Each structure stands twice: as structure tokens, then as C-alpha cells.
């Protein structure tokens, strides 16, 4: 997953305003007590950030991939 794909999913699944706010301000234990934006800036893979954000918000697996029925879900990080 690329950064632009993450941005598209954030907008599509969480909404462009609320999603960006959550990415910028929600501190996630799964990301070492960082926000998604801080984790991305530190080099964490976008798919790891996306899964952590969705896990924290309780977004079901079936709803994580937006409106595109053909979009492949990026796998979780190995061993997770």
C-alpha cells in the first residue's frame, strides 16, 4: 500500500474530514503511542498504520477497503 492509497481509504472509509483528523490526532498504542501521521513520518508502512487505525476504531475487515469491491486488502504485517 502506498501513501496515496492510504489517503484514499481514509477518505472513503472514515470521511475526508474526520479521517484526516483521526490520522493526525488519534494516538494509537499499536503504533507505539504515536499518531498515524507521526508513525508514517517515522517510516512505518501505510498498511500497518491503516490496520492499527481500523483496529482502534473497530472497523470490521469487510468495511476496511472502501467502495471498490475489487480492491485487494493489503495483508497485515507478517506475524500479526
Amino acid at each position: 500500500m502506498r501513501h496515496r492509497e492510504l489517503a484514499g481509504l481514509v477518505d472513503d472509509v472514515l470521511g475526508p474530514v474526520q479521517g484526516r483528523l483521526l490520522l493526525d490526532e488519534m494516538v494509537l498504542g499499536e503504533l507505539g503511542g504515536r499518531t498515524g501521521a507521526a508513525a508514517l513520518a517515522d517510516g512505518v508502512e501505510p498498511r500497518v498504520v491503516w490496520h492499527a487505525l481500523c483496529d482502534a476504531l473497530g472497523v470490521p475487515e469487510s468495511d476496511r477497503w472502501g467502495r471498490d469491491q475489487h480492491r485487494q486488502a493489503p495483508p497485515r504485517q507478517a506475524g500479526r
Side-chain angles (χ1 to χ4, degrees), residues 22-58:
L22 290 167
L23 193 61
D24 288 344
E25 296 189 10
M26 186 174 183
V27 175
L28 302 165
E30 196 171 326
L31 298 177
R34 296 176 286 187
T35 66
L40 290 169
D42 290 344
V44 175
E45 292 182 45
R47 69 185 168 120
V48 173
V49 171
W50 180 241
H51 283 294
L53 186 60
C54 287
D55 288 347
L57 294 170

